[in-house]
Amino acid sequence: MTVLHLTEPGNYAIKEGRRLVVKKEGEKVADIPVEYLEQVVVYGSNQITAPALTMLLDENIPVFFLSFGGRFRAKLMPYTSRHVDLRLKQYGIYLNEPERRGEIAAFLVGGKLLNCYRILKYLNKSRCSESLQEKGQKILRLAGVTKKERRLPKLRGIEGAGSRVYFQALQEVVAAEWGFDGRNRRPPRDPINALLSYGYALLLGEVMTAVERAGFDPYLGFLHEVKYGRPALALDLMEEFRGEVDLLVLRFVNLRMATPADFVNEEGEISLSPGLRKKFVRHFAEKMEEERRYDFLAKELPLREIVALQARRLAGYLQGEITCYRPHRVVGG
């Protein structure tokens, strides 16, 4: 299956029979049968015609709209979920079961922090840095606290503390020329943060598709608070997969697949150049097709399929079909 990204300014997509055709300045640049499409992502001022949208919606293919900088703007997807029981359970836990809600949040925070620890351990194999080892151990201890903590403010504090330590550690493995001194966003103020924000936006689209197809309301989460227009549940489930984006960004900069000259600075907001954006999207799409060991089935599966399976496992946990929820395990590589 293919995820089509309309990244370059001037792209427009039209319907020709049962194919989605992308053109630029009258020239055809892509031609994809609709049955091969998984989703479509439209960036900035790029266009997609009404007949093309109708075809995609009829085929249950979601369309996401992002800014050229990668900021999520909107999603278009047919409302096809008939899983009323799951949504009622989701709402009920949020409103009436604080202990259960805290347990789900604890699974998510603990899983994210364990992945941060694993990534630092992997990065330190060739460095033998005491600083990286100490920061990894601190994150590991914070992950351990989540096993018994169920209070949401405390869990959010633990997640925030662990993330700060993690990004402090990443500063040590990124060359000084990148000007990376920790996580910042809205807007990103250095190239590393621009890549991270862009990658997380792409990941959010993948996770939103998975949670909706599992039958959830993506806007009602357990860890993230409800806020108008914010897909809280998608952000919840996304936590366990963020490390995949982090590893992709580190690969980009450490293998010199990008240089500081590939970024645009507009009044302090750093964004990817069109050429780099296209290149990064291609590598992100390849990563989503990379196979990982999925412990619950004891087999290798594409990362995109694992995201979908984790959404369904979370649904199974809410409905009492499984006794606990274990997040995806990021493996360095």
Side-chain angles (χ1 to χ4, degrees):
M1 300 296 282
T2 300
V3 177
L4 175 65
H5 294 265
L6 303 182
T7 59
E8 294 190 11
N11 279 336
Y12 61 97
I14 63 174
K15 174 182 180 295
E16 289 188 0
R18 285 186 48 79
R19 309 177 75 87
L20 192 68
V21 174
V22 181
K23 293 187 176 183
K24 182 175 181 179
E25 298 178 353
E27 298 292 326
K28 184 183 294 187
V29 295
D31 184 343
I32 306 172
V34 69
E35 56 266 26
Y36 292 169
L37 284 169
E38 175 80 13
Q39 60 181 269
V40 176
V41 187
V42 181
Y43 294 81
S45 58
N46 288 323
Q47 301 177 41
I48 183 167
T49 65
L53 284 173
T54 300
M55 176 180 67
L56 294 170
L57 294 176
D58 286 344
E59 297 294 327
N60 197 26
I61 297 169
V63 182
F64 292 87
F65 296 87
L66 278 65
S67 71
F68 277 127
R71 185 171 299 174
F72 177 80
R73 284 178 169 169
K75 163 187 62 68
L76 192 61
M77 185 173 181
Y79 190 78
T80 57
S81 175
R82 301 175 184 176
H83 210 332
V84 177
D85 289 345
L86 174 60
R87 293 198 174 204
L88 287 174
K89 192 67 178 176
Q90 181 185 1
Y91 300 148
I93 291 173
Y94 181 87
L95 293 170
N96 304 316
E97 300 183 47
E99 181 70 17
R100 189 93 186 275
R101 182 184 174 192
E103 183 179 48
I104 296 168
F107 288 151
L108 298 169
V109 173
K112 173 183 178 173
L113 294 180
L114 284 174
N115 280 334
C116 291
Y117 163 74
R118 293 179 186 119
I119 289 172
L120 294 186
K121 185 177 180 181
Y122 163 73
L123 293 172
N124 203 31
K125 283 183 178 179
S126 59
R127 292 176 173 82
C128 299
S129 164
E130 289 187 10
S131 176
L132 285 182
Q133 183 176 1
E134 289 173 1
K135 288 180 173 66
Q137 289 299 316
K138 186 172 183 178
I139 291 171
L140 188 61
R141 289 193 294 272
L142 287 168
V145 177
T146 66
K147 293 179 180 179
K148 295 184 178 180
E149 184 59 69
R150 297 293 179 265
R151 293 169 294 179
L152 288 171
K154 289 286 187 180
L155 287 166
R156 294 185 188 115
I158 292 168
E159 188 275 331
S163 292
R164 283 190 294 274
V165 174
Y166 173 68
F167 284 111
Q168 288 169 5
L170 292 190
Q171 292 178 52
E172 301 181 31
V173 301
V174 174
E177 66 176 319
W178 292 97
F180 178 61
D181 60 358
R183 184 75 177 114
N184 61 69
R185 58 198 179 104
R186 297 180 185 173
R189 299 190 298 273
D190 60 76
I192 301 297
N193 275 292
L195 284 169
L196 289 170
S197 292
Y198 199 76
Y200 294 153
L202 296 176
L203 178 61
L204 180 60
E206 299 280 351
V207 178
M208 283 189 70
T209 299
V211 297
E212 288 201 298
R213 287 180 172 168
F216 284 109
D217 179 344
Y219 292 91
L220 188 75
F222 301 106
L223 173 62
H224 291 83
E225 280 292 358
V226 171
K227 183 179 179 181
Y228 181 80
R230 178 167 67 180
L233 184 66
L235 291 170
D236 283 358
L237 188 64
M238 183 173 142
E239 294 295 349
E240 64 194 77
F241 295 99
R242 284 181 183 267
E244 297 284 359
V245 172
D246 302 341
L247 288 170
L248 177 60
V249 170
L250 290 174
R251 184 196 308 170
F252 247 70
V253 299
N254 289 336
L255 296 182
R256 305 296 296 178
M257 296 163 68
T259 69
D262 292 320
F263 295 81
V264 179
N265 187 338
E266 295 181 354
E267 298 181 354
E269 178 174 356
I270 308 299
S271 62
L272 286 66
S273 67
L276 178 58
R277 189 163 56 233
K278 183 177 181 180
K279 184 177 182 181
F280 187 82
V281 165
R282 184 176 72 251
H283 282 271
F284 177 86
E286 291 172 357
K287 173 172 272 289
M288 294 305 299
E289 295 301 324
E290 287 178 7
E291 292 195 343
R292 301 281 189 276
R293 179 171 176 78
Y294 191 56
D295 292 337
F296 308 109
L297 297 179
K299 61 191 296 187
E300 300 283 323
L301 293 172
L303 182 56
R304 179 172 289 115
E305 189 171 342
I306 291 174
V307 173
L309 286 170
Q310 285 296 91
R312 294 205 288 271
R313 280 188 63 82
L314 183 59
Y317 171 69
L318 263 62
Q319 296 180 296
E321 297 169 5
I322 57 177
T323 57
C324 71
Y325 176 83
R326 293 201 303 274
H328 165 65
R329 179 187 178 102
V330 172
V331 178

